[in-house]
Amino acid sequence: QVQLVESGGGLVQAGGSLRLSCAVSGRTLSTYAMGWFRRAPGKEREFVAAVSWKGGTTYYVDSVKGRFTISRDNAKNTVYLQMNSLKPDDTAVYYCATRRTPGRVPMATTLYEYDNWGQGTQVTVSS
């Protein structure tokens, strides 16, 4: 059974930083690309960032480019999301997810392309 556990969320002032972690068990992380999504209050879950199975390729939604960095440590079966220069609009529950298809696959931004999800971690950015 695949399990994903996010951590690292919290309350931060605008301009601050947080580092989210996603620990994966039950699946060899190095075989799958990974993604981060978020759901703000009253909104749909949206794509934030993705990283390829070996970590060499990353992709971001325009609103976080230059501020967020996705990375992975396959030896630790963990994916990270470093968030800098946070804004109140970044307030949301953040989720990590594994790609449905293993191996070398194109970057994906739709929920359907991911098949296992964590429970989420709350990020709140105050102005």
Side-chain angles (χ1 to χ4, degrees):
Q1 182 178 355
V2 181
Q3 287 190 318
L4 290 77
V5 179
E6 301 95 337
S7 62
L11 173 64
V12 64
Q13 289 187 329
S17 299
L18 285 174
R19 188 194 196 201
L20 305 184
S21 298
C22 172
V24 181
S25 61
R27 174 176 284 182
T28 302
L29 182 64
S30 60
T31 310
Y32 292 84
M34 296 287 295
W36 283 96
F37 288 74
R38 66 187 179 186
R39 182 169 59 199
K43 295 186 178 181
E44 299 288 324
R45 191 175 301 195
E46 67 170 358
F47 169 80
V48 175
V51 61
S52 61
W53 65 320
K54 293 187 177 181
T57 302
T58 57
Y59 186 75
Y60 302 90
V61 68
D62 285 347
S63 60
V64 308
K65 284 181 181 177
R67 301 188 298 121
F68 290 12
T69 302
I70 187 172
S71 62
R72 63 192 299 157
D73 185 336
N74 288 340
K76 295 182 178 179
N77 251 31
T78 302
V79 179
Y80 305 98
L81 186 67
Q82 177 67 43
M83 306 187 296
N84 299 329
S85 302
L86 283 161
K87 304 175 181 179
D89 284 349
D90 296 318
T91 295
V93 177
Y94 284 73
Y95 303 87
C96 62
T98 60
R99 281 296 300 276
R100 188 177 301 277
T101 303
R104 186 177 181 179
V105 293
M107 293 286 99
T109 62
T110 60
L111 276 67
Y112 174 77
E113 298 286 351
Y114 297 83
D115 63 347
N116 290 287
W117 296 81
Q119 82 290 345
T121 185
Q122 176 70 48
V123 171
T124 303
V125 184
S126 63
S127 57

